[in-house]
Amino acid sequence: MIVARGLRKVYGDFVAVDGIDFEVRKGEAFGLLGPNGAGKSTTMKMIASVSKRTGGELTILGLDPNKRGPEIRAHLGVVPQQDNLDRELKVHENLFAYGRFFGLSRKFLKTKVEELLEFAQLTEKRNAKAEELSGGMKRRLTIARGLVNEPEILMLDEPTTGLDPQARHILWDRLFRLKEQGVTLVITTHYMDEAEQLCDRLIVMDKGKIMAEGSPADLIKRFASKEVLEVRFGSSKNIEIAEQIFHLGHRTEVLPDRILIYSENGEEDLQAILKLGLEPVTSLVRRSSLEDVFLRLTGRTLVE
Amino acid sequence: MSMIGLAADSAVAIAERRRNKPGRGVYSGRSRVALERNLMAFRSSNWIIVLSGFVEPLFYLMAFGFGIGQLIGGVTDGSGHPVSYAAFIAPALLATSAMNGAIYDSTWNVFFKMHFAKLYETMLATSLGPLDVAVGEISWALLRGLVYAIGFMAVMAPLGLIPSWWALLAIPGAVLIAFGFASFGMAITSYLKTFHQMNWINFFMLPMFLFSGTFYPLNIYPEWIQSVIQALPLWHAIQLERGFMLGNIDSSIGWHIAYFLVMIVAGLFFTTRRLTALFIK
Ligand SMILES: Nc1ncnc2c1ncn2[C@@H]1O[C@H](COP(=O)(O)OP(=O)(O)OP(=O)(O)O)[C@@H](O)[C@H]1O
Ligand SMILES: [Mg+2]
């Protein structure tokens, strides 16, 4: 569906996307993760054919976005990071006008708009001006708007930022269903649980480059241990004590407030710590998550 | 609910119909939807502002045409016929009406939509192209110019300022004038970045209105000033409308029309280019 080879984007003399390769297949949910400024939104915009690449190859559905912008965009649903609703229009008019931009018929849109209002849970607010909505409602409307043309590829740039937990879960559920119907999803997010839940495959970007690629489970296997033991000794003692327990686990990380020990069996390591006569204030054994992978790949000072 | 492909005419099918048409990268043949959007927004907009742009030239007509007109009696038009002062300035004010209507939407409104409402960014994320947006917005501005001009005509008729059926040509004339100003105004606005620069438009418009042969014939100026004014769009607009209204149709009309045609084409070209650079960068 989407193929990028050596894709680059340069603003002035600043390299925002620095030669990345990836492929998105039909019907999969593809995630772009990375810290602020990694180049996620820039990549999304190039795919959405609203930003011209500086170098490399990019095709969407086999078409070149530089030449076939409008045609490609007809296949896409786009939810930008920043809501750009039409402030002068009412809620339902926002959906209607956007559908008309695609050339969809009034008749089709009449039912479609009702359906999307329901989906965004904004039926009661249908006659409010878009600018009168709360932040989360605006977000929901922007997401609903991206569905008006029944897209084959849905591009979501941090879709759930600003949503309450209920709305977040409803959206996840909805995205799952779209996926079942064969819609391809491209998602950026800063919520690792969301990426783990939604994405079949993802790339982790940093400073315009790809740091790793794979399924969430695969990445956890490759870049994190099975379990993580977190122990706290009080912020003044952490560093001192860490020296005594460096040998435990695959890897130890000392943070100001706690020590993380990456290992295959956290409980065993905890016993070993207690045997040394050390008494942590609190301790916690948990499974590794995508968050651990993310932090490892994109930096937080690591001590091997 | 069905998400793909069940719409009788899907967005993709609609876009693919233009697959082999020239300009498919910038135009999807749907500028009317931008007009529709503006109509929707207009229904809930501020009518006082809309009305003020229309009554302004009317006030000039009352104050100058019938006030000062009493003092100076008549003037002679371009071909030496004597006409009342009100009949002399009325076509100029009609041209100004068309210009005001067109400029109002194509400058400040476009500036707002471009930099604050991010409307064009939204439109260009759909299967519309920059030329659709340019043509749609310019047509909307043109429409306002036309409505102002027709309104002005409607006031002129009972005042006895429409001498012949020829005068009806002033309406297509107003379309041309509004189109030219809308197109050019939007092109210029699309290059401006700050409120400060926008104020220069106003700064330029007022003297152009006062000195373009609006209130007296141009020949009272020295040659060089005449040449400068003859290069300005409002002078051509006024001459065109005055020719139609007073029934002085000659070959110079062709030049005025040509002037506006160039303005329209240049405006469309630069607007499209600029929108492409701004939003598909
Ligand atoms: N229009 C622009 N002009 C100049 N620089 C830009 C522009 N857009 C983005 N950048 C720069 O490109 C880099 C990548 O930005 P991008 O928006 O892609 O980051 P991101 O990964 O989406 O970050 P975030 O998580 O904060 O949304 C940033 O350093 C940003 O300053
Ligand atoms: Mg971003």
Side-chain angles (χ1 to χ4, degrees):
Chain A
M1 291 239 120
I2 305 171
V3 182
R5 294 277 168 260
L7 182 62
R8 271 168 69 81
K9 178 74 186 186
V10 180
Y11 292 111
D13 54 7
F14 178 81
V15 185
V17 174
D18 194 3
I20 60 174
D21 300 84
F22 63 86
E23 236 168 84
V24 181
R25 298 176 206 126
K26 185 165 172 46
E28 81 176 337
F30 186 80
L32 291 160
L33 305 189
N36 293 141
K40 304 180 297 292
S41 298
T42 306
T43 306
M44 295 287 268
K45 283 183 197 154
M46 286 191 281
I47 299 173
S49 320
V50 293
S51 175
K52 282 207 163 89
R53 62 182 183 271
T54 317
E57 290 300 311
L58 178 66
T59 56
I60 295 108
L61 298 155
L63 304 176
D64 177 351
N66 281 359
K67 295 185 193 127
R68 311 282 281 272
E71 209 178 316
I72 293 173
R73 295 197 294 268
H75 293 266
L76 305 183
V78 178
V79 178
Q81 184 170 359
Q82 246 124 29
D83 296 323
N84 54 0
L85 296 167
D86 195 328
R87 294 184 243 188
E88 292 178 83
L89 297 187
K90 294 175 181 162
V91 168
H92 71 97
E93 291 173 335
N94 256 280
L95 298 171
F96 191 84
Y98 201 75
R100 292 293 290 162
F101 293 160
F102 282 101
L104 300 168
S105 74
R106 291 160 199 281
K107 187 161 157 266
F108 168 75
L109 283 171
K110 232 178 134 189
T111 43
K112 192 75 197 172
V113 165
E114 294 313 315
E115 200 177 290
L116 290 173
L117 283 173
E118 193 103 344
F119 161 65
Q121 297 176 293
L122 288 171
T123 311
E124 275 163 33
K125 292 270 183 190
R126 54 177 299 131
N127 285 318
K129 280 264 172 85
E131 62 182 342
E132 292 161 6
L133 297 180
S134 80
M137 291 175 185
K138 280 188 188 140
R139 199 71 194 136
R140 284 178 351 224
L141 182 56
T142 308
I143 295 168
R145 194 187 63 179
L147 293 170
V148 81
N149 59 325
E150 307 192 329
E152 279 157 76
I153 304 176
L154 186 56
M155 313 276 309
L156 302 142
D157 199 346
E158 299 189 25
T160 57
T161 302
L163 291 188
D164 62 30
Q166 284 87 343
R168 223 154 82 102
H169 283 281
I170 291 173
L171 180 66
W172 288 356
D173 171 60
R174 188 47 182 270
L175 293 178
F176 269 122
R177 275 198 266 162
L178 288 175
K179 214 179 90 175
E180 277 170 11
Q181 290 165 27
V183 176
T184 307
L185 305 175
V186 183
I187 305 167
T188 81
T189 179
H190 288 300
Y191 300 113
M192 295 302 133
D193 54 337
E194 183 164 295
E196 228 171 314
Q197 286 255 355
L198 288 178
C199 298
D200 300 317
R201 227 152 46 80
L202 48 85
I203 54 177
V204 180
M205 291 179 73
D206 194 11
K207 302 194 180 72
K209 289 201 161 69
I210 293 179
M211 311 300 290
E213 175 178 350
S215 69
D218 176 42
L219 288 173
I220 292 171
K221 212 184 291 164
R222 258 163 50 212
F223 296 98
S225 52
K226 206 164 138 212
E227 293 187 336
V228 183
L229 166 62
E230 298 193 8
V231 283
R232 289 168 204 257
F233 292 94
S235 48
S236 53
K237 290 192 216 140
N238 280 345
I239 294 183
E240 182 192 327
I241 288 174
E243 310 223 325
Q244 305 177 40
I245 57 175
F246 259 171
H247 61 283
L248 298 171
H250 302 301
R251 206 156 50 95
T252 308
E253 186 175 354
V254 186
L255 302 180
D257 65 327
R258 61 194 196 275
I259 303 174
L260 303 184
I261 296 156
Y262 298 89
S263 74
E264 289 309 305
N265 189 332
E267 198 54 45
E268 238 168 50
D269 291 332
L270 181 58
Q271 291 312 319
I273 289 174
L274 295 175
K275 241 182 237 154
L276 287 171
L278 300 169
E279 288 177 23
V281 185
T282 63
S283 63
L284 166 77
V285 177
R286 59 170 175 82
R287 286 186 43 212
S288 304
S289 70
L290 201 53
E291 188 138 352
D292 298 309
V293 175
F294 182 87
L295 290 171
R296 171 151 190 216
L297 288 171
T298 60
R300 175 161 84 177
T301 338
L302 289 175
V303 188
E304 293 287 347
Chain B
M1 143 188 140
S2 65
M3 289 312 299
I4 7 176
L6 288 188
D9 230 348
S10 69
V12 171
I14 292 164
E16 279 178 353
R17 247 178 265 144
R18 294 195 70 82
R19 175 164 268 175
N20 298 315
K21 299 244 166 82
R24 65 186 175 197
V26 291
Y27 187 57
S28 359
R30 261 201 315 284
S31 44
R32 66 173 188 284
V33 297
L35 271 181
E36 269 178 42
R37 180 263 158 212
N38 285 335
L39 198 65
M40 261 187 236
F42 180 72
R43 272 188 263 149
S44 42
S45 75
N46 193 339
W47 284 85
I48 303 288
I49 297 178
V50 177
L51 214 61
S52 74
F54 168 67
V55 294
E56 201 182 284
L58 272 186
F59 288 160
Y60 276 101
L61 183 64
M62 300 302 156
F64 286 78
F66 297 102
I68 295 181
Q70 296 280 329
L71 298 177
I72 51 181
V75 288
T76 51
D77 69 6
S79 41
H81 306 293
V83 289
S84 77
Y85 187 61
F88 179 77
I89 66 167
L93 292 170
L94 176 69
T96 307
S97 260
M99 172 181 83
N100 280 353
I103 285 288
Y104 178 85
D105 263 309
S106 67
T107 59
W108 284 98
N109 277 359
V110 162
F111 189 73
F112 173 79
K113 288 174 185 170
M114 187 144 35
H115 295 284
F116 299 98
K118 309 259 180 233
L119 180 66
Y120 303 144
E121 196 183 295
T122 306
M123 294 173 87
L124 292 175
T126 71
S127 51
L128 287 176
L131 185 60
D132 295 292
V133 175
V135 172
E137 289 293 280
I138 289 166
S139 316
W140 174 251
L142 179 168
L143 263 180
R144 176 171 290 191
L146 178 63
V147 168
Y148 280 13
I150 290 176
F152 197 78
M153 277 269 215
V155 177
M156 282 162 78
L159 294 174
L161 295 174
I162 301 186
S164 75
W165 285 104
W166 279 113
L168 285 183
L169 277 179
I171 290 188
V175 173
L176 192 69
I177 292 164
F179 198 172
F181 276 106
S183 175
F184 207 66
M186 181 159 180
I188 289 178
T189 303
S190 69
Y191 283 89
L192 302 185
K193 296 199 179 76
T194 63
F195 276 113
H196 187 73
Q197 294 168 331
M198 288 299 292
N199 277 317
W200 279 95
I201 295 182
N202 291 16
F203 185 79
F204 178 73
M205 298 282 293
L206 182 67
M208 183 164 80
F209 164 59
L210 291 175
F211 302 119
S212 291
T214 326
F215 296 106
Y216 39 81
L218 213 54
N219 55 26
I220 65 155
Y221 293 125
E223 286 274 326
W224 70 273
I225 295 189
Q226 288 190 28
S227 319
V228 171
I229 291 175
Q230 285 173 350
L232 297 178
L234 188 59
W235 181 77
H236 289 274
I238 289 174
Q239 289 309 104
L240 183 67
E241 294 298 63
R242 202 167 264 156
F244 287 148
M245 298 283 298
L246 301 179
N248 297 324
I249 316 277
D250 58 27
S251 64
S252 66
I253 296 273
W255 286 109
H256 303 314
I257 291 175
Y259 185 100
F260 274 91
L261 290 178
V262 171
M263 217 168 144
I264 291 166
V265 172
L268 275 172
F269 174 78
F270 284 106
T271 304
T272 304
R273 204 164 94 157
R274 182 64 179 160
L275 287 182
T276 310
L278 274 179
F279 297 107
I280 309 196
K281 53 191 166 188

